[in-house]
Structure formats: structure tokens, C-alpha cells
Amino acid sequence: MINLTELLHSYYINSYGPLTLPVRQFTLHSAVPNEHGVFFCKSGKRSGLDYVDEAVANGAICVIGTDPSLLGERESHPGVTFIIVSDLSPVITLLLRTVYNSAFDEMEFFGVTGTNGKTTVTYMISTLLNRFGFKTGSVGTEGVMTSDLQPMDYNKTTPTTPEAPELARIISHFHSESYQTMVYEATSIALDQERTKFIPVDTGVFTNFSRDHMDYHETIEHYLNSKMKLAEAARTLVFSPDSPVFRSLKDFGKPVRTFSLLDAAADFYGERITYDENGSRFVLHADGERFDVYTPFIGEHNIYNLLSAFAVLYDKGIPVRAIVEEAAKLPPLRNRFQLLTVCERRFILDFAHTPAALEKSLSAARKLADGKLIAMVNGIGLRGIDKVKKMAETLSPAVDSVVLGAEQVGYVEPSLVIRAMQEALPAGVSKDRVTTAMSRKEAIAACIGQSSPGDTILLTGINEPQHYKGTLIPHDDIEEISNHFSASCADLKSLS
């Protein structure tokens, strides 16, 4: 039983019904099964009151919100407790910390933030921790992954970092299964909305920083300040001084681990990087020793990702040499500079969907390409026309052929996305090398249509179901590639 009178006294305004209740769980979404649960009634495009009936039908025994008219719902639901509070966000944090306290005491939590690389770093850290005997789950863009890298079913309500109540349920499940650690992606939006504030963070990892999500943050300062909330919460900070904005993390007065490809004084310093289609090699200086490192991951950006994971594992007491040996066996992640050879063409599937990530992806692809390099670069309508233009501005003459496409457009007309990208093309990119397509599917077809055996096709962007005018259209790049080649092509069998 939870005594809500004592817990919520600092935020309490009014209520109806008993305030000592057998609360087991929480949710912000009325459609989620929530037996003996609390429904946090939060208004968005529609009033939160519109969802009370459904929330109660799904098991809620208590509804908490800030709208005084919420008490009017007691007539329809006399057996339910309704509580009016002054601020919902700290109430959510307080209740989650109270109910799931034992999980927090017995588990360790690693948060990963940054503009690019969050998913790869989360995967690297969680997989390596599992291999060294720490039962670890992960949460992020790839979903919720168990210790054996299997997806776990859950009520997904956001693209990357779940809402706080859903995230707490995941932690509770991991705790019940004797997990020792959890690694999670902490997006700037989630940090700003305090979705992760209830989690006691043992280590905060900062990958890199560049302009993004201006449709939400509006200013680069707000974007950075949101990222820094992870530094405020974490006990230990892992970052690269190669990202100038993160150098101030050393002033937080907390233990730090640094990684770098530029600063030899960093705890984990990499140099002499080479890579080909089989992976990357570099020299690592760490813990007073020199190590020759191989990883199946390709590109300089992935060396940064790996070094951040090394820093976390080392802080857990694992010797550097052991980490180096295990990292060599770490399989690449799907859609993160993933290489496929189909019908004598090399395809590279890369999630790069920010200007900084695109620049790195194009550079790595150019070094690998023997023949012509054909690149699909898409503008994301949901992220705003300003970002669409910046994606096009990143292109360089080093690409032999470019297909400009529109993806995840929402209610933005694809033609507007394409026009914005065309207008933003750098002067050095010849327009006769550029073609356009109105969707990701059409852009892939255009790339293949321009290719010949021996060419490299780089498919950047979000290889997921596509948001189009209120509809979610199924999509998978590999399926589209398969559909464009004859079944007689032997390589297709390996894609199924």
C-alpha cells in the first residue's frame, strides 16, 4: 500500500477518494493495460480528460493530473481516486522512485546521449557487459533488448527513450529477471521532458554534439543544456574532448573518463586508423600500454563509439586487453554502416540522418568504393525544412551520383522537401549528377537503376516504416533491394 497523502504533500491541491492505495504500476497512456495502476492525466493535442474512461477500463485505480476539472470525472467513476497536483513531472519522478526503489538499489544504470552514435554505443556497452558476465538489458532506438540480444515486447510509445512510467516497467521487469545493469539511450528531448529523471545514473556517456532537433529545441543552447541534464544526474562522466562543448564536463567535479582521436592525453587515445570492407584497425593507448585493435565496425566514427565503450568497461574493472580481445568479436549492428553485396554491387546501409553523421558516412563510403559511389540522401519532412537543407549542404563532389529523396515526411509534401534540398546543393555538386525521388522506396530504385556491377550504393537515413500523412507505410531497405533484382541472383538467398 502507498500513502499518497505523505508522498504528494508538496504538490497536493485537491482529491476525491482514498489516498492509501495498492498501487503496482503507472502509465501516461490510457490504452496500456494498467491493473492496480496510476494513470497520469496529461493533456497534449487533446485534453487528458478524454482518456480517463479508457484508462479506468484498463485497470487504473487512481488518476493524477493538474486540471481541476478532473474531479468532475468522479461521478462516472466513483470507485477511482482522483488527485489534483500543482506539477505532474516531479510527481511522476517521486512515485516511480518510491515504487521501484529496490530495483534502483540493486542495479546499475548507464545513460548514453549525444547527437549521433547513441544506438551503436548502447549496443556495444550492453553486449560487452553481457560477455563479461554482467547480465545487462538495453533500451533505445532498436527497442528493448534482453541479455541475449532478443527484442522484448513492451508498449512502445516513443521512437527511442520511453516515457518515464513505461521505462520504469522495463526496469522492474529486468530487476525481476535478476539483471545487474541496464544501458539506455537518453535523447535530448527525453532529458528535457524529464523522462529519465527518476533513474539513478551510475555513468553518463556523451558521444558527440552537432546541431539537431531544432524543431523541438529551437536554439542550440537549449539542445546542449538538455544533454547536460545527464551530466547532472550521473556519478561518472565519459566523454571526448574532441567535442569542444563537452570539455566543460570536467568541471562538474565528478570522476571522468575521456576518449579521443586527437588528444594523446585522453584515457583512451586511438591513432593510425585504417579500414576496409572487413572492419577497422587502429592503435590504442590506454592504461599505460599500447594495443593493436581490430573491430568489425567500419569507419572513424565507429572508432569513437568503440572507445567510449572501452572507457565504460574499464571503469567496471575489466582489463583493457580483455576488452580489446572481446571487441574484435563484436558483430556490427544492423543499419549502422552495414555492408551487403548483392548482384555484384556493394550496398552500405547507414542510419546517418543528421548532417554530421552524413558527412562521416559519405567519407567512409568514398574510401571503400572502388567503382562509382552512388549516394541516397533523404530529407526528413518531420524534422523541418531547415534540417532538410542542411542535409543537402553536406554533399560534396566526391560522390559520383546523388539521389535526393524525401522520407518520414508526415504531412509535409515530398515535393517541398525535394525542392529545399535542390536549392541547398553546394556549388561544387554538379546538377547533372543529381536525381530526385519522392519517397525512400523510389530513391532506392533510382540508385539501383543508375548502378553497374562493381559500384557502391550508400543508403543513408531512417530505414523504418515511413510516416506519410497519418499513415505508417511498411518499409525495409533489404526487401526493396531484393525486389529490384532477379530471383536468379544468388546473393538474394543470404538476404532472406
Side-chain angles (χ1 to χ4, degrees):
M1 301 290 282
I2 296 179
N3 188 328
L4 296 171
T5 304
E6 294 179 0
L7 280 175
L8 305 183
H9 71 276
S10 296
Y11 308 97
Y12 178 88
I13 293 177
N14 202 354
S15 66
Y16 164 82
L19 295 176
T20 299
L21 297 168
V23 173
R24 297 178 184 172
Q25 53 193 339
F26 309 87
T27 188
L28 276 159
H29 298 274
S30 58
V32 173
N34 193 31
E35 185 178 357
H36 288 281
V38 171
F39 171 58
F40 296 116
C41 186
K42 187 176 181 179
S43 295
K45 292 181 180 179
R46 289 175 56 185
S47 169
L49 301 180
D50 295 341
Y51 302 97
V52 171
D53 290 346
E54 183 178 37
V56 173
N58 277 309
I61 59 173
C62 177
V63 180
I64 302 177
T66 58
D67 186 347
S69 59
L70 178 62
L71 291 184
E73 297 291 323
R74 68 179 184 268
E75 296 179 5
S76 301
H77 306 287
V80 175
T81 293
F82 292 89
I83 304 174
I84 310 302
V85 294
S86 58
D87 191 351
L88 198 55
S89 183
V91 166
I92 293 174
T93 298
L94 179 61
L95 288 175
L96 295 181
R97 282 179 175 171
T98 300
V99 171
Y100 299 108
N101 186 56
S102 60
F104 299 146
D105 287 344
E106 298 169 16
M107 292 178 65
E108 284 188 290
F109 299 92
F110 301 85
V112 182
T113 196
T115 304
N116 301 303
K118 294 185 295 296
T119 300
T120 301
V121 171
T122 296
Y123 163 77
M124 288 176 168
I125 294 172
S126 60
T127 304
L128 288 170
L129 283 171
N130 277 306
R131 292 189 177 190
F132 283 107
F134 300 94
K135 191 173 183 180
T136 304
S138 65
V139 181
T141 303
E142 293 293 296
V144 179
M145 306 300 289
T146 62
S147 58
D148 55 356
L149 296 181
Q150 296 302 307
M152 187 182 94
D153 287 336
Y154 77 108
N155 297 296
K156 186 170 184 176
T157 55
T158 63
T160 302
T161 311
E163 297 283 3
E166 278 60 51
L167 190 53
R169 289 187 188 211
I170 294 165
I171 292 171
S172 178
H173 172 77
F174 282 151
H175 180 248
S176 70
E177 295 292 324
S178 301
Y179 278 66
Q180 297 160 280
T181 52
M182 186 183 89
V183 188
Y184 66 95
E185 294 183 50
T187 66
S188 60
I189 296 173
L191 289 165
D192 182 58
Q193 295 177 352
E194 301 186 343
R195 294 185 211 161
T196 63
K197 191 173 182 179
F198 69 96
I199 300 175
V201 187
D202 292 276
T203 301
V205 182
F206 299 79
T207 60
N208 48 63
F209 185 83
S210 60
R211 185 183 180 91
D212 198 15
H213 296 296
M214 289 300 104
D215 53 318
Y216 176 88
H217 294 287
E218 296 185 352
T219 67
I220 196 74
E221 291 78 15
H222 187 266
Y223 179 44
L224 177 59
N225 289 339
S226 297
K227 294 286 186 190
M228 288 301 188
K229 289 185 177 182
L230 181 63
E232 296 168 4
R235 298 189 183 108
T236 300
L237 308 178
V238 173
F239 67 94
S240 173
D242 299 357
S243 293
V245 297
F246 290 149
R247 293 172 188 168
S248 64
L249 291 172
K250 68 180 184 300
D251 300 326
F252 274 66
K254 299 181 177 184
V256 301
R257 295 285 183 192
T258 57
F259 59 95
S260 175
L261 297 181
L262 302 176
D263 184 358
D267 296 315
F268 290 82
Y269 169 60
E271 63 171 346
R272 302 181 191 177
I273 299 169
T274 61
Y275 55 87
D276 56 26
E277 63 183 13
N278 297 312
S280 303
R281 297 182 184 277
F282 66 100
V283 174
L284 169 66
H285 300 272
D287 202 23
E289 295 187 61
R290 177 188 183 280
F291 304 88
D292 293 318
V293 181
Y294 163 76
T295 173
F297 285 79
I298 298 170
E300 183 179 283
H301 59 292
N302 276 318
I303 305 303
Y304 274 110
N305 293 335
L306 189 63
L307 289 177
S308 70
F310 276 29
V312 172
L313 270 289
Y314 180 77
D315 211 49
K316 284 286 292 177
I318 301 171
V320 176
R321 189 168 301 281
I323 304 171
V324 168
E325 292 174 357
E326 202 60 48
K329 298 176 283 186
L330 198 63
L333 192 58
R334 178 179 177 270
N335 291 328
R336 266 63 181 183
F337 216 82
Q338 176 187 6
L339 268 61
L340 305 168
T341 299
V342 183
C343 294
E344 300 181 71
R345 287 129 171 112
R346 176 191 285 137
F347 286 85
I348 304 174
L349 278 57
D350 195 29
F351 193 68
H353 62 285
T354 68
L358 177 61
E359 183 178 10
K360 293 180 175 64
S361 186
L362 289 169
S363 175
R366 179 70 275 175
K367 291 181 181 179
L368 291 182
D370 297 322
K372 185 168 65 174
L373 174 61
I374 303 166
M376 176 183 77
V377 178
N378 293 336
I380 302 173
L382 288 171
R383 294 287 181 88
I385 295 301
D386 179 59
K387 182 176 178 179
V388 164
K389 291 180 178 179
K390 291 187 179 301
M391 291 294 286
E393 290 170 358
T394 306
L395 288 166
S396 74
V399 182
D400 299 299
S401 181
V402 178
V403 177
L404 300 177
E407 68 177 22
Q408 305 294 5
V409 294
Y411 287 92
V412 177
E413 287 297 331
S415 59
L416 294 178
V417 173
I418 298 301
R419 188 179 308 127
M421 296 184 80
Q422 288 176 311
E423 292 173 353
L425 284 170
V429 177
S430 175
K431 292 186 178 180
D432 61 6
R433 294 184 178 184
V434 179
T435 56
T436 62
M438 293 297 155
S439 68
R440 187 174 182 90
K441 178 177 181 177
E442 291 178 14
I444 293 172
C447 288
I448 295 173
Q450 298 177 25
S451 70
S452 301
D455 289 344
T456 295
I457 300 173
L458 172 64
L459 305 179
T460 65
I462 303 177
N463 177 20
E464 295 175 357
Q466 298 291 301
H467 292 270
Y468 179 74
K469 295 187 177 180
T471 302
L472 196 60
I473 301 173
H475 177 88
D476 181 77
D477 284 0
I478 293 178
E479 184 176 317
E480 294 302 324
I481 293 169
S482 300
N483 290 341
H484 281 85
F485 287 103
S486 166
S488 62
C489 180
D491 296 316
L492 294 178
K493 296 178 182 178
S494 65
L495 300 182
S496 59

